[in-house]
Amino acid sequence: MKYPNFIFVFILSVLTSCVKDGMPDSGEDKVKTGDVLPEFAVEMNDGNIISTEDVKGKVSVITFFHTLCPDCQTELPVLQKVYEEYSGDDGVVIFAVSREESDDDVSEYWDENGFTIPYSAQEDRAVYEMFSTLGIPKIYISDRKMVVRYIHSDEDMPTADVLNYEINSLINE
């Protein structure tokens, strides 16, 4: 019977298609380079709330991810490295926001990989959809005025050097 193979391939493709949520042009980037960050508030893994007000006056790096997404799995260690470089800098805030994932799942993944990046586990897409409806990972880097200056996705996943360059360019403005 051919259907079980088809079903297996279909399920596998759904599980690994975290980057594009369907066919090309099936979503939109709501926040674009030059836009001001939307108003948001998320509860972080340590219980603190980070909101738009908390990033005002700072360079911010906000990453949307899912731990089962292969591109996210590649990019999160890069983000961890960058986070470690700026974790003592009060003028830079770096955090990650999951998309449709429980705190238990994210916490387990963080523990397994030794990540210390602050994260907010979101079991829905409400916060994510303020920014985009077009795949993950998504990295938004904004300046002190909350203007988004750089956006990265699966099509241009940045290295730590690229992220450091972009962050430093905003710090030195």
Side-chain angles (χ1 to χ4, degrees), residues 24 36 39 102 109 136 167:
V36 174
E39 294 287 328
S102 73
Y109 189 81
I136 51 176
I167 293 166

Side-chain angles (χ1 to χ4, degrees), residues 2 13 61 63 79 91 122 151 162 166 168:
K2 293 182 181 180
S13 70
V61 180
T63 302
L79 187 65
Q122 299 289 308
I151 299 173
V162 167
E166 292 170 350
N168 284 327

Side-chain angles (χ1 to χ4, degrees), residues 146-164:
M146 300 187 318
V147 174
V148 176
R149 301 285 293 278
Y150 302 99
I151 299 173
H152 297 282
S153 69
D154 65 301
E155 295 175 6
D156 69 338
M157 291 191 311
T159 64
D161 288 340
V162 167
L163 291 172
N164 285 331

